[in-house]
Amino acid sequence: MTPAPAVAVRIGARALTRRYGALVANDAIDLSVAPGTIHSIVGGNGAGKSTLMRILQGVDFPDAGTVVLNDEPVRLSGPADAFARGVGMVHQEFMLAPPLSLLENLILAREPVGAAGLIDWRKAEEEAGNLAALAGAAIDWRLKAADAPIHVRQILEILRLLYRGADVLILDEPTAVLAPAQIVELLKLMGKLRDEGRTILFISHKLDEVMKCSDAITVMRAGRVVARTTASDTNVDALARAMVGDHAPALLIESRERPSGTPLFSARALAARDPLGFERLGPVDLDIRAGEIVGVAAVGGNGQDELVACAAGILAPAAGSIRLGGEDLAGASTARFRAAGVGYVSADRAHEGLCLTASLADNFIAGRERDTAFSRLGFLRPANIRAAAARGLAGLSVRYGSVDDPASSLSGGNQQRLAIARELSRAPRLLVVSQPTRGVDIAGTAFIHNLIADFRDRGGAVLLVSESLDELLALSDRILCLFNGRISGELSRSEAGVETVGRLMLGRRAAA
Amino acid sequence: MIDAFLHAAIVMTTPILLAAIGGLVNRIGGIVNIGLESMMLGGALIAVMVSAQTGSAGLAILAALVTGAVLGLLMSLVITRLSANEIIVGLGFSVATAGLVRFFLKSVYGVSGTYNPAGVAMLPPIDIPALHAAPVLGAIVSGQDALTWLAWALVPATAFALRRTRWGLRLRATGAAEATVRAVGLAPLTIRDASTVFAGALAGLAGAHLSIGVVGLFNEGISGGRGFIALAAFYFGRSSPWRTALGALLFGGFDAAQIRLQGHWIPAELLQALPYAIVIAVLTGLGLADRRAERSGRMG
């Protein structure tokens, strides 16, 4: 490993500014990361963290100011240049070639070559084995990247940086996709790499993780650095205040008594298969009344995805019935589900929730383009569409340049606000919501929770699936636990606690 | 009768196979090469010209290879550097080259359609005396020219290179995940250009095989859509050189069959359409199979 160099700043920035049109994504950022430390960059969605990291990695370039490496200002010509200087990054979207094996992905661009210019697979496997041992991970190197579990892909990305000799690792929200146990493993690995002399930039908005692993912490908000501190000098509350500014939002949503009357949504003996044809869900019975949020708690792969897809009308059930307000929707098209009053917020906002290449305005009215407000005689009315989108976005407190910008110009959390607002603007009767705040910061989460609770208070029915127990406990009036595709328990909000729900999710009985 | 047919089938497979291997490599690198036809046509013309001028089949082959490679590079640069649509550019190259060739023949040689100079050196057939008399096998392997041998040698060579060399690995990565390749510090567009140059060079050789390997003259219709049939062959082959070769053999076989069936009671024009009809049938079948696979893999 590289000996700790005698520099004060291994990587950083000096008065670094980056603008995108009218938006100042990074405003005169000063950053100093000491060698051999874990330095966390925290901030809400749209705070400018990802832009800064892209610049540090040479993928994007500053309009003013410079990147600093080993105390010297440098101008990076590209990611290859950054790599040559020991700086590597694990992106939020993984940079792996899906049809290639994990081993092939590891050695890509740095293939060990033996006689006759052929790839020396034995040497590659040997080095891969050493790296896996270092990470304390068992990796099946022959697996295609597309088939590898997500935490393995994550570890591979980190190992690839090590394989290529990087001593500065930029990790952009690496824990967003991991389960709690895997997060612990990752933080442990980060500590180990730090102790061996490497420098780690850890981007996150999960403050408890930041507190656990950081040597130094820099807080960003709206493109600026608003605080510099260390884990020992601060706490989660202070960080949260710095992140969101002065008005820290209240997170608790009031629960409601279970409304009476006939259920709005009703499924009977519902069963569904996954794409491979495996029975994943059911049979389950499920009722949701108007003015009620029903949360579904389950460990990934226990049928919750299929339940969401069936309720949203995207997946045809293998068996059973679905009724909405008395209307029989068995075998109905997605269009009929939506016409009957089903709104759907997908967990996959990049593919199902939004069209990222289309404009904010087009995304905002998608599905309502036939309304007379937005089209007449088959022709769109762009002025009305843009005005409606501008009004809608104003109510979401979203930072954006113009309604003609592509949806991809929004940060992840703001994209989610847009996706939910779009569905609510159709005035649905049932809102099917999957992972509404995955990768969304504290302020965004509170905002989205309020949107959902507000919809409930106006008489809407909500089916909520989330991997975050905190979210389920904060929002749901009733919580169903799914295990092996069946309902393993049902709790009211007042009965539900993390432990009880956790037990039911694993198929055990609730404590008496 | 069967010997003559088998021999012809191999001969007709060669240009399709050469272009298809090139197109396969190109596609693995991320470009579907619709312009193979133009590179084939260019190679065919240059091969006849150089062969007649120099009397050397070897030089003619080299010239055809370079011509195809240059056309491939031009097409690739338009696609990768100017972000043009590969389908439009490929079709444009095919149409434009056909027009330019006709114009060139007219203005330089004063002929329309066919250029048949004296002294064209043909590709010599390679006879294998030990096998020549053997039934079936003799007809298949003996008396084929060097380009046919090259085409079949490229099948295992390509499969091997894709799996075992770093260029193969980088090419596969480029086609699958351009952003990844850029992120690890490689130049995906350059890799992609190289694969198109390779495809162009092989399509140029395919053209040379048609003009100085089979007929000994140039005709503006000599490629006869074989560049597009090659496209069908590597689609049929997905990412496998062996399956691609099978596809090329299938289409080459029907090409030979249509020639042999001519002169019987079926109209020649209808017979000539046979290989193309087979292409449509095969691609339709593949498309339906894909759709079925997609539907059963569909998820909410």
Side-chain angles (χ1 to χ4, degrees):
Chain A
M1 195 52 242
T2 357
V7 295
V9 180
R10 177 66 186 91
I11 185 168
R14 204 170 290 165
L16 186 146
T17 297
R18 179 72 174 115
R19 299 181 194 87
Y20 297 112
L23 188 73
V24 185
N26 279 179
D27 189 357
I29 302 284
D30 283 311
L31 175 70
S32 301
V33 180
T37 62
I38 296 178
H39 191 119
S40 290
I41 313 275
V42 301
N45 300 121
K49 301 165 296 187
S50 290
T51 301
L52 179 61
M53 294 312 122
R54 280 206 302 275
I55 291 173
L56 291 180
Q57 208 236 344
V59 177
D60 200 350
F61 305 97
D63 296 312
T66 63
V67 173
V68 175
L69 287 177
N70 293 334
D71 295 336
E72 302 286 336
V74 294
R75 185 182 295 265
L76 295 171
S77 65
D81 188 16
F83 237 119
R85 297 167 190 267
V87 179
M89 174 156 167
V90 175
H91 296 257
Q92 241 172 306
E93 314 80 34
F94 292 158
M95 289 288 181
L96 297 176
L100 268 52
S101 74
L102 294 176
L103 186 60
E104 287 173 331
N105 269 292
L106 178 77
I107 65 170
L108 181 64
R110 278 282 188 89
E111 306 86 354
V113 172
L118 300 179
I119 294 175
D120 186 344
W121 288 111
R122 187 166 301 168
K123 190 161 173 225
E125 274 170 7
E126 191 184 304
E127 293 202 31
N130 291 341
L131 287 170
L134 169 75
I139 296 177
D140 178 0
W141 291 99
R142 290 172 194 284
L143 213 56
K144 277 185 189 178
D147 300 333
I150 205 152
H151 69 279
V152 172
R153 281 186 257 171
Q154 174 114 54
I155 289 171
L156 179 73
E157 291 255 10
I158 295 172
L159 294 185
R160 181 164 66 182
L161 298 185
L162 302 182
Y163 174 77
R164 307 187 64 197
D167 72 306
V168 178
L169 312 180
I170 303 175
L171 309 180
D172 192 3
E173 299 195 17
T175 59
V177 294
L178 300 183
Q182 296 160 350
I183 291 174
V184 172
E185 287 298 311
L186 179 69
L187 296 184
K188 209 186 288 172
L189 176 60
M190 284 166 53
K192 192 168 165 192
L193 296 174
R194 184 256 327 265
D195 296 342
E196 290 177 0
R198 294 181 183 87
T199 308
I200 295 176
L201 266 162
F202 178 61
I203 320 302
S204 182
H205 51 242
K206 294 189 182 169
L207 298 179
D208 48 339
E209 292 166 11
V210 168
M211 290 299 294
K212 251 179 243 164
C213 72
S214 311
D215 298 307
I217 301 170
T218 295
V219 184
M220 291 180 70
R221 186 172 75 232
R224 298 179 161 202
V225 171
V226 292
R228 291 185 184 82
T229 181
T230 62
S232 48
D233 290 340
T234 189
N235 56 50
V236 169
D237 289 339
L239 283 178
R241 268 197 305 280
M243 264 173 73
V244 299
D246 296 328
H247 44 82
L251 272 173
L252 200 67
I253 306 289
E254 256 183 59
S255 163
R256 288 190 140 198
E257 282 308 303
R258 183 169 180 170
S260 54
T262 50
L264 176 70
F265 173 90
S266 172
R268 287 290 169 271
L270 187 67
R273 297 176 204 279
D274 71 7
L276 297 174
F278 293 109
E279 189 109 346
R280 284 285 185 183
L281 176 70
V284 296
D285 294 342
L286 171 65
D287 289 326
I288 308 174
R289 290 172 173 76
E292 180 183 39
I293 299 175
V294 174
V296 174
V299 177
N302 274 280
Q304 69 270 52
D305 293 340
E306 287 72 20
L307 177 61
V308 161
C310 285
I314 288 176
L315 178 71
S321 71
I322 295 179
R323 303 177 81 84
L324 187 74
E327 186 180 350
D328 186 359
L329 288 176
S333 65
T334 308
R336 253 191 73 203
F337 268 80
R338 290 179 75 81
V342 176
Y344 172 45
V345 179
S346 169
D348 185 359
R349 66 175 161 259
H351 296 106
E352 267 188 354
L354 296 172
C355 173
L356 293 182
T357 52
S359 71
L360 297 175
D362 289 350
N363 269 293
F364 192 76
I365 64 123
R368 288 194 293 152
E369 65 281 351
R370 287 197 191 83
D371 289 7
T372 48
F374 301 132
S375 70
R376 187 192 282 151
L377 301 172
F379 291 96
L380 292 176
R381 305 170 75 178
N384 286 8
I385 291 172
R386 301 172 77 231
R391 274 197 307 277
L393 287 165
L396 297 177
S397 43
V398 160
R399 263 164 41 107
Y400 69 98
S402 143
V403 291
D404 295 326
D405 290 347
S408 59
S409 66
L410 295 184
S411 66
N414 285 344
Q415 287 172 11
Q416 188 69 349
R417 292 189 195 199
L418 174 63
I420 295 181
R422 197 258 323 280
E423 288 304 295
L424 289 176
S425 73
R426 296 176 57 246
R429 293 196 284 172
L430 169 71
L431 191 65
V432 179
V433 192
S434 183
Q435 318 293 358
T437 59
R438 186 190 271 168
V440 178
D441 64 20
I442 296 174
T445 299
F447 193 93
I448 287 166
H449 285 179
N450 279 321
L451 282 180
I452 295 172
D454 193 48
F455 172 70
R456 186 260 330 255
D457 293 343
R458 285 184 280 116
V462 179
L463 176 64
L464 169 72
V465 170
S466 175
E467 63 202 359
S468 157
L469 281 187
D470 290 342
E471 175 162 84
L472 288 170
L473 294 171
L475 268 179
S476 312
D477 302 309
R478 211 150 47 93
I479 293 183
L480 297 178
C481 299
L482 279 183
F483 177 69
N484 269 344
R486 297 183 183 226
I487 292 173
S488 54
E490 176 180 340
L491 302 161
S492 69
R493 162 98 72 97
S494 53
E495 302 168 308
V498 173
E499 268 183 54
T500 333
V501 175
R503 255 200 305 277
L504 288 170
M505 279 165 66
L506 295 173
R508 294 181 211 140
R509 303 207 157 270
Chain B
M1 173 73 191
I2 185 75
D3 279 5
F5 167 72
L6 287 175
H7 188 84
I10 298 296
V11 169
M12 299 320 289
T13 297
T14 299
I16 297 171
L17 180 55
L18 281 169
I21 292 288
L24 172 82
V25 166
N26 211 177
R27 181 173 177 230
I28 287 173
I31 289 182
V32 176
N33 192 328
I34 309 278
L36 290 171
E37 180 81 3
S38 69
M39 296 152 207
M40 216 186 251
L41 196 63
L45 174 61
I46 298 290
V48 168
M49 286 166 57
V50 172
S51 176
Q53 286 287 322
T54 65
S56 159
L59 277 179
I61 285 179
L62 188 66
L65 180 143
V66 171
T67 304
V70 168
L71 282 171
L73 179 63
L74 280 177
M75 189 183 98
S76 201
L77 290 177
V78 175
I79 293 170
T80 58
R81 309 299 150 139
L82 306 177
S83 310
N85 180 292
E86 61 194 13
I87 308 288
I88 308 295
V89 174
L91 278 178
F93 260 68
S94 293
V95 174
T97 309
L100 281 173
V101 161
R102 195 173 308 145
F103 170 75
F104 179 82
L105 289 179
K106 191 98 189 172
S107 57
V108 176
Y109 298 114
V111 297
S112 63
T114 301
Y115 174 54
N116 189 5
V120 171
M122 297 281 287
L123 272 178
I126 302 169
D127 285 317
I128 302 173
L131 287 173
H132 194 73
V136 184
L137 191 63
I140 292 174
V141 301
S142 185
Q144 303 289 2
D145 61 37
L147 287 180
T148 299
W149 284 99
L150 172 71
W152 286 97
L154 277 172
V155 177
T158 306
F160 181 80
L162 284 174
R163 226 180 28 248
R164 293 291 308 275
T165 68
R166 65 164 104 175
W167 299 111
L169 175 62
R170 291 173 182 189
L171 186 74
R172 286 185 286 137
T174 299
E178 185 184 327
T180 300
V181 174
R182 189 170 292 120
V184 297
L186 297 174
L189 298 186
T190 306
I191 294 172
R192 201 163 277 171
D193 289 337
S195 74
T196 322
V197 168
F198 178 75
L202 288 191
L205 291 181
H209 181 265
L210 287 171
S211 66
I212 65 167
V214 182
V215 290
L217 55 79
F218 177 81
N219 178 283
E220 65 181 16
I222 193 166
S223 51
R226 288 187 181 81
F228 296 105
I229 292 186
L231 199 70
F234 70 71
Y235 259 93
F236 177 85
R238 305 266 158 82
S239 297
S240 154
W242 287 105
R243 275 195 55 153
T244 299
L246 186 66
L249 198 56
L250 177 71
F251 297 131
F254 277 105
D255 213 1
Q258 110 2 67
I259 292 169
R260 299 209 64 82
L261 286 172
Q262 279 181 30
H264 297 273
W265 52 272
I266 311 172
E269 290 78 7
L270 209 57
L271 274 175
Q272 279 162 11
L274 181 66
Y276 309 97
I278 299 292
V279 166
I280 293 172
V282 167
L283 287 186
T284 306
L286 278 180
L288 288 175
D290 277 354
R291 242 179 49 187
R292 207 167 306 133
E294 214 167 273
R295 210 174 274 158
S296 68
R298 173 180 164 278
M299 162 64 199

